Amino acid sequence: MTRRITRIDNGLPTEAWQQLGADIVARLHTLAEISDESGQLTRLYLGPAHKRAVALVSNWFETAGLETRVDATGSVVGRYGAQGDGGPVLILGSHIDTVRNAGLYDGNLGVVTALTVVERLSRAGVRLPFAIEVVAFGDEEGVRFASALGGSRALAGRFDPRLLDERDADGISRRAALEAFGCRPELIAAEARDPGRVLGYVEVHIEQGPVLEADGLAVGVVTAINGASRGRVGVRGESGHAGTVPMIMRRDALAAAAEMMLRLEALARAEADLVATVGRIEVAHGAVNTIPGFVSFTLDIRCPVDAARLDFIERLRRELSLIAEARCVSVQVDLPYDAPAVTSDAGLMARLGEAVERQAPPLRLLPSGAGHDAMAFGGRIPSVMLFVRCRGGISHNPDEFAALEDIDAGARVLLDFIVGLAVNS
């Protein structure tokens, strides 16, 4: 028999609140066994490991009582229906793709926490005045394709079809990768949710920073997410013999790129709230006895104020052009990924804050310097995030760690939030 929640304190049986953290941690370790590379966790979008992870997560969703499908972007979507027909939907989720040599918790924690919480509702036979969708996105990190957030942008109705022609390092287009994965790219537009029928998007995630640990707190509510620009800089010079071309006559692309990276660092250090990072350098046809003719490097720029970020990019373009001119090389700056800063929805923040006060007080509000799938929904679908403390603020690293007790606290807050939302609907 379907039950309805009428009170926050005893709307669910006691067992629904117990051992949430233990169940989540067990699943996280199982999911971490799926990797593209032996001996480390690397799970790239639409790759072999992502395919296996989608199969595993789909099975978990179905076993938990969710109607499950893989959408046109390769995201796993599980739906837990409302009490009656129709009604609004609450979206919970995060991502299951990873960076190279990743930790267990980034992204995966949000998916598994949402699944485990909804599973407890299903086991208790509780239906809510709204449906819940749990989504496991696969394209948050932007490791394979620079644009990233393809799955969450599709749900928000913001996917740019031109990105289907974007290519990875092996020359494979996003369109071809999706088709090989079994998806139908022509249906991506149909994945957009009607904002009028969505209560909001809620994402649980490790903090990836040191604030909660410094404050001695298990969880915190996110107020906003930094805007970000991401892409690649290409520097073209002229390759030549390392022993025969005089230094004064060289058009060394790598030396020019090095100067550009140092200038980038100096410019970013002069900005109070802006960070800029070069994470990868590629030297075409690199050899010990060859002057580099073409070099590319990645660029990641983040700031809580969009106007300041965009102004910085324009100044950077001018500075890099001056360096290129002085060194007789050419430079091209391509930043296809542009995510505006996003402010959390005030109503959802208040509800989530109330749940924190009941389950893991005191309430701590903090911004996010890292980007997340929640960014894709800003200005279209209300969104909010719950951060879970991570040891040392370390992330994108095998040493990434969140304690079971903190994970349990995050799950109890999410369950409390959902119950509170149901009671007040």
Side-chain angles (χ1 to χ4, degrees), residues 179-400:
E179 290 172 345
F181 202 75
C183 299
R184 297 178 61 186
E186 69 273 16
L187 299 181
I188 289 177
E191 297 293 350
R193 303 300 193 265
D194 178 0
R197 298 183 62 81
V198 178
L199 293 174
Y201 171 79
V202 183
E203 182 172 359
V204 176
H205 205 284
I206 56 169
E207 182 194 351
Q208 299 179 284
V211 176
L212 292 175
E213 185 175 60
D215 288 351
L217 298 175
V219 298
V221 175
V222 176
T223 57
I225 303 173
N226 278 2
S229 297
R230 184 187 298 168
R232 189 175 295 271
V233 176
V235 183
R236 186 172 298 281
E238 185 175 66
S239 61
H241 196 291
T244 62
V245 181
M247 297 299 293
I248 197 171
M249 298 177 65
R250 296 187 178 198
R251 296 171 57 204
D252 189 326
L254 182 55
E259 184 175 347
M260 291 175 185
M261 287 183 277
L262 289 173
R263 185 60 182 149
L264 165 70
E265 182 187 46
L267 289 172
R269 282 184 170 181
E271 300 291 328
D273 297 318
L274 184 143
V275 293
T277 304
V278 173
R280 185 174 180 180
I281 306 171
E282 295 181 357
V283 181
H285 311 298
V288 66
N289 59 349
T290 301
I291 301 165
F294 182 79
V295 172
S296 66
F297 57 90
T298 59
L299 191 56
D300 185 303
I301 301 168
R302 308 186 191 211
C303 184
V305 180
D306 288 332
R309 172 172 53 89
L310 297 176
D311 177 70
F312 177 86
I313 290 171
E314 288 307 308
R315 287 188 287 119
L316 176 65
R317 289 182 187 275
R318 291 194 297 270
E319 293 284 341
L320 298 192
S321 294
L322 290 173
I323 293 171
E325 183 179 357
R327 287 184 168 271
C328 298
V329 300
S330 63
V331 62
Q332 180 174 341
V333 180
D334 187 18
L335 300 174
Y337 177 93
D338 183 86
V342 174
T343 301
S344 297
D345 178 77
L348 293 178
M349 279 181 59
R351 294 283 188 201
L352 194 58
E354 291 167 2
V356 170
E357 292 285 18
R358 286 189 290 265
Q359 298 294 332
L363 171 62
R364 178 65 158 89
L365 302 175
L366 70 167
S368 172
H372 303 282
D373 283 298
M375 298 177 73
F377 298 97
R380 185 166 176 81
I381 291 173
S383 65
V384 71
M385 294 187 69
L386 180 74
F387 273 170
V388 174
R389 171 172 50 190
C390 66
R391 185 174 61 195
I394 296 172
S395 184
H396 286 189
N397 185 308
D399 290 334
E400 181 180 273

Side-chain angles (χ1 to χ4, degrees), residues 1-5 65-67 78-91 118 121-122 125-134 197 199 418 421-422 425:
M1 182 178 70
T2 300
R3 297 173 57 248
R4 177 173 181 173
I5 295 175
L66 281 64
E67 298 177 10
R79 184 179 179 88
Y80 186 66
Q83 286 169 338
D85 296 332
V89 61
L90 176 69
I91 304 174
V118 176
L121 295 172
S122 178
V126 171
R127 294 286 174 173
L128 309 171
F130 49 84
I132 299 178
E133 285 189 354
V134 181
R197 298 183 62 81
L199 293 174
I418 293 171
L421 203 60
S425 294

